[in-house]
Amino acid sequence: DAGVIQSPRHEVTEMGQEVTLRCKPISGHDYLFWYRQTMMRGLELLIYFNNNVPIDDSGMPEDRFSAKMPNASFSTLKIQPSEPRDSAVYFCASSAPREGDTQYFGPGTRLTVL
Amino acid sequence: QQPVQSPQAVILREGEDAVINCSSSKALYSVHWYRQKHGEAPVFLMILLKGGEQKGHEKISASFNEKKQQSSLYLTASQLSYSGTYFCGTEGDAGNMLTFGGGTRLMVKP
């Protein structure tokens, strides 16, 4: 398997612009997670899905953040409008209970908001 | 609540041993250990389920003390490739949601 795929790998945008991050989980995995990593706050869980349904979005910082999973092989995390403090590395991860809930991380998207 | 990792950073010489601790304020179902190298994604090392089991992977092993709500990661005869930041992720019950600690930065020098 190709592993978790994320795009783009790097994104530079200006404050106020809309940003969309994309993730393709490992085929057959039931769970998908979105994390944000910064030096100050470490690795934070933003939201996770089970079978395409959002289960817990308590980590989503503000209404400017939204996430969707229209099917089992694709998810998006959208920030609208973006702000400089959103600059971070965003990781997507997927897991399956039959694999002991091990989470496999994608390579991440490094977002810079100017 | 976020588990607490200690130490925050450690520097070793090749061949030395290290222990990284992870403590939680709540009962745990499982503890997951990951290693992240600079500029890369976290990579899974091992998972420990409640029951006090110990696991090993080459010269890296871990224990889980359910009663004390803590886990320790043991690195034996460290190699340069062990350098990176180690994270523990804890699961309060079998719900798939992990809460990660702040990380322990490990540097192994020749």
Side-chain angles (χ1 to χ4, degrees):
Chain A
D1 200 314
V4 176
I5 299 172
Q6 289 186 247
S7 65
R9 294 293 308 276
H10 301 274
E11 176 81 31
V12 180
T13 190
E14 292 189 346
M15 183 174 62
Q17 296 298 306
E18 176 179 297
V19 175
T20 300
L21 312 181
R22 297 173 176 80
C23 175
K24 177 179 168 54
I26 293 173
S27 176
H29 279 192
D30 311 290
Y31 288 82
L32 183 139
F33 306 82
W34 281 102
Y35 291 92
R36 177 173 67 177
Q37 187 175 39
T38 61
M39 287 294 293
M40 290 297 295
R41 301 176 68 90
L43 198 57
E44 303 173 275
L45 176 66
L46 299 177
I47 184 172
Y48 78 98
F49 296 82
N50 179 21
N51 292 321
N52 313 337
V53 176
I55 302 301
D56 190 327
D57 65 353
S58 58
M60 296 285 262
E62 299 171 33
D63 291 343
R64 298 184 296 106
F65 286 70
S66 62
K68 293 182 180 180
M69 192 165 186
N71 57 63
S73 59
F74 183 66
S75 177
T76 60
L77 178 68
K78 186 177 293 186
I79 308 173
Q80 166 64 15
S82 58
E83 296 182 3
R85 60 193 167 123
D86 301 331
S87 297
V89 179
Y90 291 81
F91 289 105
C92 173
S94 69
S95 71
R98 64 181 178 279
E99 296 181 26
D101 299 337
T102 300
Q103 294 189 18
Y104 296 90
F105 283 75
T109 295
R110 181 173 295 276
L111 173 66
T112 302
V113 183
L114 302 175
Chain B
Q1 279 188 333
Q2 186 181 44
V4 177
Q5 289 187 232
S6 63
Q8 289 187 320
V10 59
I11 300 175
L12 300 174
R13 292 285 181 189
E14 246 183 316
E16 292 182 337
D17 302 340
V19 179
I20 299 172
N21 300 303
C22 174
S23 296
S24 174
S25 59
K26 61 178 185 179
L28 299 176
Y29 171 75
S30 69
V31 179
H32 303 224
W33 285 96
Y34 288 79
R35 177 171 62 207
Q36 184 179 29
K37 293 187 178 288
H38 183 69
E40 299 180 7
V43 173
F44 172 78
L45 292 176
M46 64 188 77
I47 179 175
L48 300 102
L49 302 178
K50 65 179 180 181
E53 65 177 283
Q54 186 156 348
K55 281 194 173 180
H57 175 68
E58 296 180 344
K59 294 181 179 178
I60 300 176
S61 62
S63 63
F64 178 23
N65 188 318
E66 182 186 346
K67 289 183 180 179
K68 292 185 177 180
Q69 298 163 189
Q70 61 186 212
S71 176
S72 295
L73 187 71
Y74 307 94
L75 298 103
T76 305
S78 59
Q79 306 169 14
L80 296 177
S81 61
Y82 288 1
S83 293
T85 301
Y86 289 78
F87 292 95
C88 68
T90 57
E91 193 176 18
D93 48 59
N96 263 285
M97 181 174 151
L98 292 180
T99 303
F100 284 93
T104 295
R105 185 170 294 183
L106 179 77
M107 182 183 296
V108 181
K109 294 186 173 181

